[in-house]
């Protein structure tokens, strides 16, 4: 590549912003995204969520429910910058969509409700963004609503998210009198026109707000100065800090994850969205500002680090798949090099090539064909057969595999079967597609009963999948009652000797494994420790014992629930020169765990973190009902507008059909949200009943 081309490509990448919109359900993410499209001229008509016409909510299920279920990608331009925007769901049942989006995005806009502040799912998505080290700016939305309080919302960001939230603007007026903002960087007031909030009048700060604005500016300057050595030096010396220096320090602090700039507005009324677009350009990273992503060469296991530019060998991460009658769509974030239509690229996981049929840029469900995708782009591809979420595509000459995403375990399952026998194969094919699309949706066929069991993140998750099967794929299905995904663990430590010895003519089977089993809270599944001394178990058979124990743990013993939190230490054993084999020691491992679990098993159930909002006068009824469901109330706070927020923990098993009960308790005014928190032992009397019901089938 010539120097001129090199420079042009670097300038293109510098002017690229890949960002996501993240928040709690109903904070206004999709409304904000729709305004971005409208203001940047990408769409000529605003799609309203409440009218079921949002561009970004393109699935029928999303329009019917007025919520986002699948993350939608789009692109637009602002201030000579090319933006790729992903609008993510706010409901915890669809957390996989946030997880995979944040994995490939360079920045994010966190949207918060000015009335409710930080809500439970805001915390979840914020933690996900922390995990992937994604720089963020915050937008306090719904400033024109009754009970809106910008300062309280910022305070909840600091206390509940532990974020260094730094307001860069302050509101002029509040609730129905919310009229504009004061920009604390240039100390100017901006008031929106009554008939079109895209028109702003710049003026002096109103006298009654001047002292407060000066105080807030001082706090902002102090916060951003700490992010930049030169600016800090000037601040300590008491020298005047220029607007450009504030912006420079603000950008550095945001990119270093030290601060979160906070803006405010009302997306529904177009207020404040342009200011956030300017902030995305100013403070969120371009692909060049992000540290080079580390990968592994699948052939040599050596570390691979490349500059994120187009002159490097191609590498891109698959982060989403959508089934489509016209050919499945695979979304790819291109990190290095260029991807071309018709080319073949290597998948390090499958060790196979994938041919790129058609290459396109997405605008929600609309497609814009392109010939080439370059470093920093997010593209969609038709023609990929085997690649799934988390796979890396690269060239065969320079292979690389990037770290795949981790997804939470399913907590709920239900049986499903087609109404007509002729639809069985069709149903299997559709469920196969849904499983490929969504890593948190699983399906297995019960070997004993032959019935298909689907699992997911919650009732809503499974309900949406069943509706897709019925409505989109036109398959009649019968659905069983939802069941909780129980797990098991051991009651306590146990030493066992597993003797797998069989002799029946010819070569026999001989394996003795002595294993010390214990329980450790921070072990997700199994930790296998080899403590064999003196070669009592030959080295080649030791992994087989671990594989046997792992198989037994997954199988779940008689109850069929998988075990977790298990530590297995193989400390001794015996082998036979002729009759021992890998298979014999694997069988000994299975037997060892069965012996350890016999009369030593404990049933665990998923415990959910719950937040309920209800009218103050109904709080007693709500808490009483929660207690009757074995719930534990941790905190109760009063919010503006006579609303109480009750947070606590409750077993998932007690929460089926809870929305109906909450509606009747609160005359339809109560709302709640849940997310998985932990697994805890089931009380003995209830565990007995669960296992009895299981035995009856």
């Amino acid at each position: 590549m010539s120097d001129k081309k090199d420079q042009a490509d670097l300038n293109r990448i510098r002017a690229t912003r890949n960002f996501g919109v993240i928040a709690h359900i109903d904070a206004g993410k999709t409304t904000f995204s729709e305004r971005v499209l409208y203001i940047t001229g990408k769409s000529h008509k605003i799609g309203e969520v409440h009218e079921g016409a949002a561009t970004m909510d393109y699935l029928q299920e999303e329009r019917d429910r007025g919520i986002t279920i699948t993350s939608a990608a789009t692109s637009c331009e602002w201030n000579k910058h090319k933006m790729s925007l992903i609008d993510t769901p706010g409901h915890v049942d669809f957390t996989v969509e946030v997880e995979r989006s944040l994995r490939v995005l360079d920045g994010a806009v966190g949207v918060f409700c000015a009335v409710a502040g930080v809500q439970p799912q805001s915390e979840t998505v914020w933690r996900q963004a922390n995990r992937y080290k994604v720089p963020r700016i915050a937008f306090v939305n719904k400033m024109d609503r009754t009970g809106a309080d910008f300062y309280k919302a910022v305070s909840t960001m600091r206390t509940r998210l532990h974020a260094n939230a730094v307001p860069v603007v302050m509101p002029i007026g509040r609730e129905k009198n919310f009229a504009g903002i004061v920009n604390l960087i240039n100390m100017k007031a901006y008031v929106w026109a009554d008939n079109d909030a895209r028109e702003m009048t710049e003026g002096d700060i109103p006298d009654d707000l001047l002292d407060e604005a000066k105080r807030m500016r001082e706090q902002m300057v102090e916060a951003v100065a700490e992010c930049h050595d030169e600016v800090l030096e000037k601040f300590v010396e008491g020298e005047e800090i220029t607007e450009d220096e504030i912006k420079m320090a603000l950008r550095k602090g945001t990119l270093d994850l030290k601060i979160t700039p906070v803006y405010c507005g009302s997306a529904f009324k177009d207020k404040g969205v342009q200011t956030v677009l300017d902030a995305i350009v100013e403070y969120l990273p371009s692909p060049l500002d992000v540290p080079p992503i580390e990968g592994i060469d699948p052939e040599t296991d050596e570390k691979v680090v490349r500059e994120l530019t187009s002159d490097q060998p191609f590498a891109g991460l698959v982060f989403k798949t959508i089934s489509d009658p016209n050919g499945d769509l695979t979304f790819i974030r291109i990190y290095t090099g260029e991807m071309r239509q018709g080319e073949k690229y290597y998948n390090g996981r499958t060790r196979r090539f994938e041919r790129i049929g058609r290459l396109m840029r997405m605008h929600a469900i609309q497609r814009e064909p392109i010939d080439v995708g370059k470093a920093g782009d997010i593209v969609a591809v038709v023609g990929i057969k085997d690649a799934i979420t988390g796979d890396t595509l690269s060239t065969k000459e320079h292979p690389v595999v990037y770290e795949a995403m981790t997804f939470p375990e399913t907590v709920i399952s239900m049986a499903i079967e087609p109404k007509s026998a002729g639809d069985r194969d069709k149903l299997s094919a559709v469920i196969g597609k849904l499983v490929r699309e969504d890593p948190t949706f699983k399906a297995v066929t019960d070997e004993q009963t032959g019935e298909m069991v689907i699992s997911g993140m919650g009732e809503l998750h499974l309900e949406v999948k069943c509706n897709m099967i019925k409505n989109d794929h036109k398959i009649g299905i019968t659905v069983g009652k939802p069941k909780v995904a129980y797990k098991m663990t051991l009651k306590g430590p146990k030493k066992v000797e597993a003797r797998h010895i069989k002799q029946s003519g010819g070569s026999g089977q001989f394996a003795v494994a002595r294993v010390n089993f214990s329980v450790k809270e921070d072990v997700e599944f199994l930790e296998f420790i080899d403590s064999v001394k003196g070669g009592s178990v030959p080295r080649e058979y030791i992994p087989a014992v671990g594989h046997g124990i792992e198989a037994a743990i997954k199988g779940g013993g008689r109850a069929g629930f998988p075990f977790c939190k298990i530590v297995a230490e193989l400390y001794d054993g015996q082998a036979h020169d002729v009759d021992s084999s890998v298979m014999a020691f694997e069988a000994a491992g299975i037997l060892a765990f069965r012996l350890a679990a016999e009369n030593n098993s404990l049933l665990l159930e998923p415990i959910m973190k719950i937040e309920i909002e209800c009218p103050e006068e109904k709080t007693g009824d709500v808490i009483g009902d929660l207690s009757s469901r074995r719930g534990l109330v941790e905190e109760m706070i009063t919010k503006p507008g006579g609303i109480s927020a009750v947070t606590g923990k409750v077993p998932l098993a007690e929460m089926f059909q809870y929305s109906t009960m909450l509606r009747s308790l609160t005359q339809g005014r109560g709302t709640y949200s849940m997310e998985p928190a932990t697994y805890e032992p089931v009380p003995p009397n209830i565990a007995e009943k669960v296992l009895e019901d299981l035995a009856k089938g």
Side-chain angles (χ1 to χ4, degrees):
M1 217 189 255
S2 70
D3 287 351
K4 221 175 195 179
K5 263 189 176 175
D6 270 355
Q7 196 52 51
D9 190 58
L10 288 175
N11 291 341
R12 176 192 65 81
I13 299 174
R14 262 190 212 105
T16 297
R17 297 288 181 274
N18 295 318
F19 70 97
V21 185
I22 59 173
H24 183 86
I25 190 167
D26 209 26
K29 294 177 305 304
T30 302
T31 303
F32 175 82
S33 302
E34 293 293 330
R35 291 321 187 268
V36 168
L37 296 184
Y38 181 60
I39 288 167
T40 58
K42 188 71 185 186
S43 59
H44 303 295
K45 175 178 171 291
I46 299 174
E48 300 296 7
V49 175
H50 62 277
E51 292 171 2
T55 309
M56 303 300 279
D57 287 347
Y58 57 84
L59 294 179
Q60 194 54 47
E61 276 288 302
E62 296 179 308
R63 297 189 164 192
D64 291 347
R65 293 172 185 272
I67 62 170
T68 302
I69 289 169
T70 181
S71 51
T74 190
S75 48
C76 54
E77 281 195 17
W78 181 255
N79 209 357
K80 296 182 181 169
H81 282 66
K82 192 184 84 182
M83 295 186 170
S84 289
L85 178 161
I86 296 184
D87 174 30
T88 66
H91 200 289
V92 68
D93 283 18
F94 310 107
T95 187
V96 60
E97 294 290 337
V98 186
E99 188 81 29
R100 56 183 168 194
S101 300
L102 286 173
R103 172 68 174 80
V104 298
L105 291 169
D106 303 320
V109 176
V111 179
F112 299 89
C113 172
V115 181
V118 171
Q119 294 164 283
Q121 188 62 8
S122 315
E123 293 183 56
T124 306
V125 296
W126 204 261
R127 279 198 303 272
Q128 288 170 308
N130 284 342
R131 188 159 65 247
Y132 291 118
K133 297 184 169 54
V134 177
R136 278 143 278 173
I137 57 180
F139 177 62
V140 178
N141 192 22
K142 304 188 181 183
M143 283 295 298
D144 52 353
R145 283 254 313 263
T146 304
D149 188 332
F150 175 70
Y151 303 102
K152 195 170 179 186
V154 172
S155 171
T156 62
M157 289 175 65
R158 290 170 181 159
T159 54
R160 293 185 67 169
L161 302 178
H162 307 293
N164 186 8
V166 179
V168 183
V169 300
M170 65 178 273
I172 298 173
R174 55 183 289 186
E175 299 179 347
K176 66 175 193 273
N177 297 320
F178 177 58
I181 53 171
V182 172
N183 183 327
L184 298 174
I185 297 175
N186 65 8
M187 289 299 273
K188 292 286 182 187
Y190 295 87
V191 177
W192 293 295
D194 290 338
N195 56 348
D196 187 351
R198 289 172 300 166
E199 299 292 323
M200 289 188 288
T201 308
E202 183 185 299
D204 292 332
I205 299 170
D207 291 343
D208 59 329
L209 293 177
L210 192 55
D211 288 346
E212 177 68 2
K214 284 178 179 172
R215 187 182 64 79
M216 285 187 66
R217 187 180 199 271
E218 187 68 20
Q219 288 174 350
M220 177 194 73
V221 171
E222 186 176 350
V224 303
E226 288 179 16
C227 304
H228 197 289
D229 292 344
E230 287 171 35
V231 179
L232 181 61
E233 207 173 297
K234 284 186 80 171
F235 179 77
V236 171
E237 298 295 327
E239 293 176 38
E240 185 62 35
I241 295 168
T242 66
E243 284 178 34
D244 285 346
E245 285 170 334
I246 291 173
K247 287 180 178 178
M248 178 176 70
L250 203 50
R251 179 174 174 77
K252 188 174 188 306
T254 307
L255 298 188
D256 293 345
L257 305 179
K258 287 181 179 172
I259 56 175
T260 304
V262 186
Y263 294 82
C264 68
S266 167
F268 183 57
K269 301 275 178 64
D270 298 342
K271 294 178 176 179
V273 178
Q274 284 160 292
T275 318
V276 176
L277 281 167
D278 290 338
I280 290 164
V281 168
E282 291 269 12
Y283 308 124
L284 286 188
S286 78
L288 292 177
D289 295 315
V290 178
I293 184 169
E294 285 186 10
I296 298 289
D297 184 322
E299 314 301 330
T300 63
D301 278 345
E302 287 176 7
K303 195 162 79 168
V304 178
V305 182
R306 297 179 191 146
E307 290 298 316
L308 305 183
T309 55
S310 300
D311 58 353
Q312 295 286 328
F314 167 76
L317 187 74
V318 174
F319 69 95
K320 185 176 169 68
T321 305
I322 298 178
S323 296
D324 192 282
N326 305 320
D328 289 358
L329 273 181
T330 303
F331 285 78
I332 297 172
R333 161 71 197 263
I334 301 175
Y335 283 105
T336 59
E338 295 182 349
M339 174 179 254
R340 293 185 176 275
Q341 199 164 279
E343 291 286 328
K344 286 193 301 185
Y345 296 102
Y346 184 66
N347 184 338
R349 179 184 64 86
T350 62
R351 301 288 204 274
R352 288 184 187 161
F353 283 96
E354 295 279 8
R355 182 177 286 282
I356 305 305
R358 295 198 308 282
L359 197 59
M360 57 202 78
R361 195 167 279 123
M362 294 301 292
H363 172 46
I365 202 64
Q366 295 162 4
R367 309 170 179 197
E368 178 194 326
I370 55 173
D371 295 323
V372 60
K374 298 186 175 187
D377 287 349
I378 290 174
V379 297
V381 172
V382 176
I384 284 181
K385 296 279 188 289
D386 299 319
I388 57 171
T389 298
D391 282 357
T392 308
L393 297 183
S394 58
T395 61
K396 182 74 172 89
E397 299 73 35
H398 302 94
V400 65
V401 172
Y402 293 134
E403 185 187 352
M405 290 148 256
T406 53
F407 300 113
E409 293 223 3
T410 56
V411 294
I412 188 171
S413 59
M414 60 167 63
I416 179 174
E417 61 178 46
K419 283 184 176 170
S420 69
D423 277 344
R424 191 166 292 279
D425 289 346
K426 201 172 161 192
L427 177 63
S428 294
V430 166
I431 282 184
K433 280 186 173 182
L434 293 176
V435 167
R436 189 163 171 254
E437 279 184 10
D438 182 350
T440 58
F441 178 66
K442 296 192 167 60
V444 292
T445 302
D446 190 304
E447 287 174 17
Q448 272 110 25
T449 62
E451 71 179 1
M452 184 177 281
V453 178
I454 57 173
S455 307
M457 299 305 298
E459 277 185 285
L460 179 63
H461 190 201
L462 295 188
E463 192 184 317
V464 164
K465 297 295 180 193
C466 289
N467 284 350
M468 285 177 170
I469 293 167
K470 287 188 275 196
N471 302 333
D472 298 353
H473 300 281
K474 306 290 185 269
I475 301 173
I477 52 172
T478 308
V479 174
K481 280 186 178 174
K483 292 177 184 172
V484 173
Y486 290 101
K487 289 185 182 179
M488 300 193 85
T489 192
L490 300 177
K491 282 182 186 169
K494 198 169 182 181
K495 272 189 179 178
V496 299
E497 179 183 82
R499 303 176 69 83
H500 179 76
I501 301 170
K502 288 188 179 174
Q503 196 70 47
S504 53
S507 64
Q509 291 184 31
F510 185 98
V512 177
R514 298 186 182 99
V515 187
N516 190 6
F517 286 95
S518 58
V519 176
K520 195 173 172 188
E521 277 303 316
D522 58 355
V523 172
E524 191 179 328
F525 172 54
L526 166 69
E527 184 183 321
F528 179 66
I529 300 167
D530 165 20
S531 298
V532 174
K533 301 278 191 294
S536 57
V537 178
R539 303 246 51 89
E540 66 267 26
Y541 298 142
I542 289 171
V545 179
H547 294 150
I549 293 169
E550 188 176 322
I553 283 177
K554 280 182 178 168
R558 287 179 192 155
F561 299 127
F563 279 75
C564 62
K565 306 180 185 189
I566 306 294
V567 177
E569 182 192 10
L570 176 67
Y571 65 92
D572 197 9
Q574 284 172 254
H576 188 277
D577 290 346
V578 177
D579 293 344
S580 286
S581 65
V582 167
M583 197 192 297
F585 272 95
E586 202 163 304
I590 292 170
L591 177 60
F593 186 71
R594 282 185 188 154
L595 292 170
E598 205 172 328
N599 301 320
N600 187 33
S601 297
L602 194 61
L603 190 66
L604 303 175
E605 63 183 341
I607 303 294
M608 311 299 282
K609 182 179 175 186
I610 188 167
E611 178 162 318
I612 307 162
E613 290 192 356
C614 62
E616 241 176 306
E617 65 273 17
K618 300 292 181 186
T619 311
D621 297 342
V622 167
I623 289 175
D625 177 69
L626 200 61
S627 300
S628 73
R629 296 168 185 270
R630 299 191 282 127
L632 184 70
V633 174
E634 293 178 331
E635 188 185 19
M636 197 188 87
I637 54 173
T638 304
K639 293 192 169 184
I643 297 291
S644 280
V646 178
T647 54
K649 291 196 174 140
V650 64
L652 176 64
E654 305 288 346
M655 296 304 286
F656 293 129
Q657 303 298 317
Y658 180 65
S659 51
T660 310
M661 173 58 80
L662 184 64
R663 275 200 297 271
S664 68
L665 278 176
T666 61
Q667 295 165 333
R669 294 160 65 202
T671 59
Y672 79 103
S673 60
M674 286 196 308
E675 60 176 89
T678 180
Y679 268 82
E680 287 180 12
V682 181
N685 57 326
I686 295 171
E688 212 171 288
K689 190 173 182 316
V690 169
L691 296 170
E692 263 175 37
D693 291 347
L694 190 76
K696 287 177 197 165

